[in-house]
Amino acid sequence: MNNVAKVSQPPLYWDRLFAPSSALAMITTVDADGRPNIASYGTCTRVNHKPVSIAFTTLLHKDTGQNVLATGEFTVNLPPFDREILEKVRICGLAFDHGVNEFEKAGLTPLPALALKPPRIVECNRHFECKVEWTQAWTEEGRLMVCGALVAASVDADCVDEEGYLIWDVAKPAHYCGGPYGGTFVAAYETMAVDLPYDGPEVFAADTLHQKMYDEL
């Protein structure tokens, strides 16, 4: 179990906490009777800055799809690049029958959310509690796209600095390489500060827009 204290993050830090902007995730929901469910997703993406919004796709007939339609809530939990937790990610990616408790199957620890019903996962180091903004069903396979607005966020205390920025080699964001690669994951925590060798007016405009966005939060 992860024994690091979880700390709530203010809205000003939400956008910088979900980084990189697309990540491997374990999404928790509850059904109409309050039973929890965990499902693993290779792609979960921050799609808007204000309000901070997160989107993913699932299958309409699966528990996650049915639960978000029934309750309008989900919690995104981001696991680190660590073999033990990634093994649990794979377990939660299996097609368990409705009502099966994935917390028990994978040996994970539930933690009450700050604002919503879907619990956080202790072993993950970042948590994003979302209210469903909209859903869109499409494709012959019956996929459902879900977009939720963030209402609360929390993180392991050792994963962020005093301004809410990730400490990359502690948070250790992970990505899933995709179905054709089987159970293969890749680390996403090596960083490189890259210069912008261009001095046109677009640079000033972009910097001004970025600053304005955070000033208004």
Side-chain angles (χ1 to χ4, degrees):
M1 182 189 296
N2 182 351
N3 293 316
V4 179
K6 307 283 185 182
V7 292
S8 175
Q9 295 291 275
L12 177 64
Y13 296 167
W14 289 354
D15 195 49
R16 64 191 65 165
L17 185 62
F18 197 103
S21 57
S22 182
L24 171 71
M26 304 176 80
I27 294 178
T28 52
T29 56
V30 297
D31 65 15
D33 296 320
R35 293 178 296 185
N37 177 265
I38 310 173
S40 300
Y41 291 90
T43 305
C44 191
T45 306
R46 186 187 69 235
V47 293
N48 194 47
H49 299 288
K50 185 183 178 183
V52 176
S53 301
I54 297 171
F56 68 99
T57 63
T58 186
L59 287 167
L60 185 57
H61 70 276
K62 293 290 189 179
D63 286 346
T64 300
Q66 291 299 302
N67 289 351
V68 296
L69 292 176
T71 68
E73 299 181 356
F74 62 95
T75 296
V76 176
N77 304 270
L78 301 186
F81 188 76
D82 173 84
R83 180 175 296 276
E84 184 175 356
I85 182 63
L86 292 178
E87 288 174 350
K88 298 175 188 297
V89 168
R90 295 201 68 194
I91 294 172
C92 292
L94 298 175
F96 292 108
D97 290 338
H98 177 69
V100 170
N101 188 326
E102 288 85 1
F103 278 102
E104 295 176 355
K105 289 290 185 181
L108 291 165
T109 312
L111 178 70
L114 297 175
L116 303 179
K117 291 181 180 179
R120 294 174 288 174
I121 300 172
V122 168
E123 289 79 5
C124 292
N125 56 34
R126 287 177 286 161
H127 316 276
F128 303 85
E129 302 172 33
C130 299
K131 295 281 285 186
V132 174
E133 286 283 289
W134 53 263
T135 61
Q136 176 66 54
W138 90 103
T139 78
E140 294 181 356
E141 293 83 11
R143 292 201 70 82
L144 181 74
M145 186 166 190
V146 180
C147 183
L150 195 56
V151 298
S154 52
V155 61
D156 284 6
D158 62 348
C159 288
V160 290
D161 64 19
E162 64 278 1
E163 295 182 326
Y165 287 101
L166 282 185
I167 301 172
W168 295 98
D169 58 353
V170 178
K172 297 183 177 180
H175 291 296
Y176 178 48
C177 292
Y181 293 90
T184 303
F185 300 84
V186 63
Y189 54 91
E190 181 177 350
T191 62
M192 178 187 298
V194 178
D195 293 332
L196 180 58
Y198 178 78
D199 59 1
E202 296 85 359
V203 176
F204 176 77
D207 289 343
T208 301
L209 179 62
H210 188 265
Q211 186 60 51
K212 182 175 183 293
M213 179 179 69
Y214 283 105
D215 288 344
E216 291 177 351
L217 288 175

